[in-house]
């Protein structure tokens, strides 16, 4: 049931139906936003539907009672040559309507054109990696694809009663390269390194180099944080980093020592214990003929990597030499889609980099996290962009009617309410440390 839209009976919890959008997800294409309910008109009749937007920029519209798609969906064959031990699924779904909200495959024609220097810089990287289809299995050679932080994110979408969907999306390519853990998991590796690779390397990279400000380098962490501060962050989480309270206290301490290069020279003892444990498992297997699943469960305590690969370079955006997305703009958009017909009414860039606009580059759009609301007055309100503004769009045309510079980044969805005869729109401006101005304010707006 991974990557699925589910229908449950609310009174009993019984499963009514499920619809899987990605089979055996190797690309972080989980659905980040909730589904939305709408009634649409198809073939002259009203149909209660459920609408789901995805991180690869697709829109699925299903019959709410049956779980069947209201628009055609093809299932196509794909390459199945994955990493050793990995078996990619042989087919994936391709909805034919509505058209994708964002680009699906990176081509040489998509390479940035904001300057000749940026184009040349990006082209060299593009020509030395793979990007032939959106379902390329991850590899040690590396690949460039749209996923992870792309498409429709956690803010979700808004739908007005006439069946028009308003959805913001990211156009972001990610640079993903895997590394072979058997090489890294040699006996010479300490317990701290193994725990780090298991729990931390997916974001900060196997070599602790990080990936952008969101996933900072940990190479020189001793110059920024002391032992207690690091331990507290690992235990409680901070910003985008989750809590690791599922780890035992002693394991968190071992990771801290590893990061601070303070691990004790107890490697020999741990090697002996490890060898003894392996022998114990082998002897037990020979003696009692345990099943494969039982043996795997026991070996998991000794060999923690299955399959034995992790991200080598962390979660890495594909950027030009100045830190802008490596593809042609727009880099973030807001679209209006008529769900009755599956056709687009408009699509506009969402957000801008003022320094690029001043150079005469048309508004590019930015990455955006946080969804829209649509009001009966015909306005779509949305924040979520890197330029830290909240905007109002005309829902009929996509024209910006109003915008306001917020004091901090805002990755929430606005709300609206009415009191004392006046309607308000409110946004949480919380910010994100390291990448945006941090804050902690709720800001309300109203007409005079």
């Amino acid at each position: 049931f991974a990557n699925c839209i589910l229908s449950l009976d609310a009174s009993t919890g019984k499963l009514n139906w499920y619809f899987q959008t990605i089979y055996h997800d190797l690309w972080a294409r989980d659905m980040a936003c909730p589904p939305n309910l709408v009634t649409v008109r198809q073939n002259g009749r009203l149909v209660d539907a459920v609408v789901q937007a995805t991180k690869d920029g697709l829109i699925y519209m299903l019959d709410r009672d049956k779980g069947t798609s209201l628009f055609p969906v093809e299932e196509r064959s794909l390459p199945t040559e994955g990493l050793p031990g990995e078996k990619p699924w042989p087919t994936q779904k391709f909805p034919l309507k509505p058209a994708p909200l964002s680009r699906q495959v990176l081509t040489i024609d998509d390479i940035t054109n904001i300057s000749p220097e940026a184009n040349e810089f990006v082209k060299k990287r593009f020509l030395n990696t793979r990007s032939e289809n959106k379902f390329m299995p991850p590899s040690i050679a590396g690949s460039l694809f749209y996923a992870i932080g792309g498409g429709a994110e956690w803010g979700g979408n808004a739908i007005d009663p006439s069946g028009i969907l308003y959805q913001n999306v990211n156009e972001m390519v990610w640079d993903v390269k895997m590394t072979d853990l058997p090489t890294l998991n040699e006996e010479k590796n300490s317990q701290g390194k193994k725990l780090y690779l298991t729990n931390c390397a997916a974001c900060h990279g196997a070599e602790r180099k990080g990936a952008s400000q969101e996933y900072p380098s940990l190479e020189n962490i001793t110059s920024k944080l002391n032992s207690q501060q690091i331990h507290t962050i690992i235990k409680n989480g901070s910003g985008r980093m989750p809590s690791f309270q599922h780890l035992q206290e002693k394991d968190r301490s071992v990771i801290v020592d590893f990061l601070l290069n303070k691990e004790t020279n107890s490697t020999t003892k741990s090697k002996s214990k490890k060898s003894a444990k392996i022998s114990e498992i082998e002897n037990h297997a020979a003696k009692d003929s345990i099943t494969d699943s039982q043996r795997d469960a026991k070996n998991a305590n000794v060999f923690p990597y299955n399959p034995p690969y992790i991200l080598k370079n962390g979660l890495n955006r594909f950027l030009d030499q100045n830190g802008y997305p490596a593809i042609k703009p727009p880099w973030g958009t807001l679209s209006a889609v008529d769900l009755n017909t599956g056709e687009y009414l408009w699509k506009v860039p969402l957000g801008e980099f003022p320094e690029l606009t001043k150079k005469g580059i048309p508004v590019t759009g930015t990455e955006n996290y946080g969804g829209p609301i649509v009001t009966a007055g015909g306005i779509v309100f949305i924040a979520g962009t890197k330029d830290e503004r909240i905007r109002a769009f005309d829902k009929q045309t996509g024209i910006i009617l109003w915008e306001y510079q917020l004091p901090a980044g805002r990755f929430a969805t606005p709300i609206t309410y009415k009191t004392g005869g006046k309607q308000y729109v409110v946004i949480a401006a919380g910010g994100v440390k390291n990448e945006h101005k941090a804050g902690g304010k709720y800001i309300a707006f109203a007409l005079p």
Side-chain angles (χ1 to χ4, degrees), residues 16 65 76 86 98 112 125 141 156 159 173 195 345 353 358 385:
N16 294 323
D65 296 320
R76 302 173 187 169
E86 186 62 84
T112 181
R125 175 74 184 95
I159 303 178
V173 178
L195 285 166
L345 302 180
F353 290 94
K358 288 177 182 177
T385 51

Side-chain angles (χ1 to χ4, degrees), residues 24-233:
H24 188 27
D25 185 12
L26 301 174
W27 308 272
R29 291 195 174 114
D30 52 293
M31 286 172 282
C33 63
N36 218 331
L37 303 180
V38 65
T39 299
V40 296
R41 183 173 292 278
Q42 283 209 335
N43 301 319
R45 67 186 184 95
L46 294 177
V47 181
D48 289 336
V50 56
V51 179
Q52 178 70 63
T54 71
K55 282 170 65 174
D56 48 346
L58 304 178
I59 300 172
Y60 289 93
M61 190 164 69
L62 311 178
D63 184 299
R64 207 183 300 175
D65 296 320
K66 303 174 184 177
T68 54
S69 179
L70 297 179
F71 290 116
V73 176
E74 288 184 356
E75 197 156 313
R76 302 173 187 169
S77 298
L78 292 159
T80 56
E81 297 79 30
L83 294 165
E86 186 62 84
K87 297 178 182 177
W89 201 256
T91 62
Q92 294 290 349
K93 287 187 173 78
F94 290 80
L96 303 187
K97 209 172 186 181
L101 290 154
S102 56
R103 284 165 278 194
Q104 299 291 288
V105 180
L106 178 66
T107 70
I108 196 164
D109 292 334
D110 291 317
I111 290 175
T112 181
N113 61 354
I114 64 170
S115 74
E117 295 79 15
N119 179 274
E120 188 63 28
F121 178 89
V122 170
K123 187 180 292 184
K124 288 179 182 178
R125 175 74 184 95
F126 173 84
L127 294 174
N128 285 290
T129 191
R130 305 180 313 150
S131 61
E132 58 264 23
N133 77 70
K134 66 179 285 188
F135 290 110
M136 294 178 298
S139 70
I140 289 176
S143 53
L144 300 169
F145 60 81
Y146 296 93
I148 303 178
E153 280 291 334
W154 63 68
N157 50 59
I159 303 178
D160 71 18
S162 64
I164 308 303
L165 170 110
Y166 302 93
Q167 178 71 69
N168 57 306
V169 298
N170 289 326
E171 297 261 7
M172 180 57 66
V173 178
W174 293 75
D175 182 357
V176 176
K177 183 175 289 188
M178 309 301 287
T179 190
D180 184 353
L181 270 177
T183 302
L184 295 172
N185 195 26
E186 298 169 350
E187 287 202 8
K188 67 179 182 182
N189 289 339
S190 66
Q191 183 65 15
K193 185 168 186 177
K194 293 169 190 173
L195 285 166
Y196 171 84
L197 292 172
T198 307
N199 297 283
C200 314
C203 292
H204 296 286
E207 298 171 358
R208 295 190 275 180
K209 294 183 182 297
S212 79
Q213 291 177 313
E214 282 187 87
Y215 310 102
S217 168
L218 303 178
E219 290 181 297
N220 299 312
I221 196 170
T222 53
S223 63
K224 303 172 185 176
L225 302 171
N226 62 35
S227 175
Q228 184 56 50
Q229 289 170 322
I230 299 171
H231 198 285
T232 298
I233 291 173

